[in-house]
Amino acid sequence: MPPSSSDDSDSLHGAPLNRGAGFGLDDSGPTPIEEPGRARAHFRRELGELEARSLGGLDLIIEQLDRVLEALQHQDVELAQMVIADDDRVDGRYLEVHQGILSLLALQAPVAGDLRLVAALLHVLKHIERMGDQCVNIAKLIPLSGHEPPVRHEMLEALAKMGARARSEVVQSRAAFARRDIELAEDLARQDRDINRLNREIFRMAIEIGEDPDTREWCMHMILVARALERIGDNAVDIGEQVAFVVTGLFRELSDRPTF
């Protein structure tokens, strides 16, 4: 007697069929319905680690800035050389995180807030690398006037103030990004105006310094130092602009806001 149709629906050559297989109904293991959620959670975890590594790059900049400012105040050529040599750490961090982001993008297609964060981190990395280069530029200027340059202490004091403000901006840009704090990011533009004012003041000191050629040469080098510090502040402001982009999805230049 041939088997009934009901028997055909429940078996294939005598093997029972699992009606829920492939539809998220079999709780014996991961299902196709669960997999996208797990993949997204893994992506966000990886992205969070890359963000932490990126912000750690700003910690490296703070270390470099502290050392180059100390070298500048004491005209310490050996310490300046250490800053130059240590730039490899900043470059290595840039390459490491940049490659990590590209590898992550090859596996996942981020959308909305995740995509904004990925784009912002690429910009942050660029600014970190540039700030590291500016620290190196300052360090390379220190030995040019010799071991006993004809320093002007009033100019070194102005540069110390400028360096302290640039450092403060880097620290604040890091905190603003980590907290997604737009108000903290917007305050960077106010601080940057102080750096720009000191930059102009140092330039004025240099052109009024006198006729001694060695002193004038040293002052020209210090103008370049001031310019490098001013650029570090600008890059910190640019990181603040990325905070606003991540939070709102809109890009705006913080210096153009009418509240400043």
Side-chain angles (χ1 to χ4, degrees), residues 20-38:
F23 294 95
L25 301 177
D26 181 9
D27 58 3
S28 63
T31 67
I33 289 178
E34 295 170 337
E35 284 302 325
R38 292 187 181 185

Side-chain angles (χ1 to χ4, degrees), residues 208-243:
E208 296 175 355
I209 206 67
E211 298 299 327
D212 178 66
D214 291 338
T215 303
R216 290 177 69 86
E217 181 182 9
W218 180 82
C219 288
M220 293 305 105
H221 295 158
M222 295 306 103
I223 287 177
L224 296 176
V225 168
R227 174 59 177 163
L229 291 172
E230 189 260 345
R231 290 300 302 141
I232 290 173
D234 286 346
N235 279 281
V237 173
D238 290 339
I239 292 174
E241 291 171 351
Q242 294 304 315
V243 176

